Amino acid sequence: SAPATCLLILRAPAGGLLSPRPAATGGGGGGACGELCVDWEGGLAPLPFAWRRGCTVALRNLVLVAGGCIHNCQTSLCYALAPEAGAWLRAPSLLHKRNVAAAACHLGGAWVVGGYDGRAHLASAEHLTPALCEAAREARAARGDKPEPAEPGVAPELRGWAWASAPPLLTARSSLGVASVRGSLYAVGGYGPAPAPHGAGSPPTALRSAEVLHRGARAWAPLPPLVEGRSDLAVVGYGGHVYAVSYTHLRAHETDSY
């Protein structure tokens, strides 16, 4: 599919709740099959580039798009949208170029995990946590150190932010799903090197493996494998559980949960 520059927003009514209503009898109108009192809205500022496969996460009052593919090249670029202002801001770049990575809001920061850099599937992970960036800046000022040099082009209001390395995954993977649940970050499925006993040189495959990074841990821990390998999946935390939903060649919309 062609890369996109447009953005749509689905606004809930006052109070933040989606209210049911009778099914629509005519054409058009908002809602899923006329069942919800919501409508997609256009007219927001377009992305600055034709962009595909970047990962998106909410961070404070911003919508952050990180990495992906621009002009058929993997990128580390990041942009942030302030929805109320309707403008995109250049955000600090990722530490590594990564396409088809996954992102989640975790412990007050944006975490970007895995991906593909054009040569290999990635195990690396990184996070942008504003509170930690601000604390580090204050500590440097208290010591009398010079401020860290700002990346050229970054919006002035975001120049104090920076990505930091996080513990690497146990298994390199792209097209994965991630979710933050009760202080732990889960990485599930994806596409990557075939596990043992196939050995090095085996073609990449949809992965059954999953792993978790608990709060304060320095390494990811393995989880029980999925029922079958899944890539390009959606992962969400709800009610203390992690749900992984994907399409396979056998059955559509399968779900695993932890």
Side-chain angles (χ1 to χ4, degrees), residues 8-255:
L8 300 176
I9 185 169
L10 185 66
R11 296 186 188 274
L17 298 177
L18 303 183
S19 305
R21 67 180 171 192
T25 56
C33 302
E35 296 174 354
L36 296 176
C37 293
V38 290
D39 289 280
W40 288 98
E41 300 177 11
L44 295 174
L47 287 160
F49 304 99
W51 209 312
R52 73 169 81 202
R53 294 179 175 178
C55 47
T56 308
V57 62
L59 181 63
R60 289 192 172 178
N61 62 334
L62 302 171
V63 177
L64 183 69
V65 177
C69 193
I70 299 175
H71 303 309
N72 295 320
C73 295
Q74 282 74 25
T75 185
S76 60
L77 281 176
C78 297
Y79 274 79
L81 174 70
E84 299 306 321
W88 287 93
L89 306 174
R90 173 74 184 277
S93 297
L94 295 167
L95 299 176
H96 305 283
K97 294 180 180 180
R98 53 181 85 230
N99 189 18
V100 288
C105 183
H106 178 59
L107 301 180
W111 288 61
V112 176
V113 179
Y116 183 74
D117 67 0
R119 296 177 298 176
H121 301 277
L122 301 175
S124 60
E126 47 191 291
H127 67 93
L128 193 162
T129 305
L132 297 180
C133 296
E134 291 158 5
R137 185 171 64 247
E138 292 172 0
R140 285 195 299 270
R143 294 193 302 266
D145 297 342
K146 293 182 179 179
E148 291 287 337
E151 178 184 350
V154 171
E157 51 267 63
L158 303 182
R159 284 180 183 168
W161 293 5
W163 293 89
S165 295
L169 295 164
L170 300 174
T171 300
R173 58 183 86 217
S174 62
S175 301
L176 69 157
V178 298
S180 177
V181 179
R182 294 181 176 176
S184 295
L185 187 63
Y186 292 79
V188 181
Y191 193 70
H198 302 285
S202 298
T205 185
L207 299 172
R208 294 180 61 204
S209 62
E211 44 194 291
V212 60
L213 182 68
H214 293 298
R215 183 195 295 264
R218 296 184 179 181
W220 295 75
L223 290 169
L226 298 169
V227 174
E228 59 183 281
R230 303 174 185 274
S231 63
D232 297 298
L233 71 168
V235 177
V236 65
Y238 178 73
H241 296 278
V242 178
Y243 293 86
V245 185
S246 69
Y247 180 93
T248 72
H249 68 286
L250 297 175
R251 294 178 294 277
H253 308 303
E254 295 185 317
T255 303

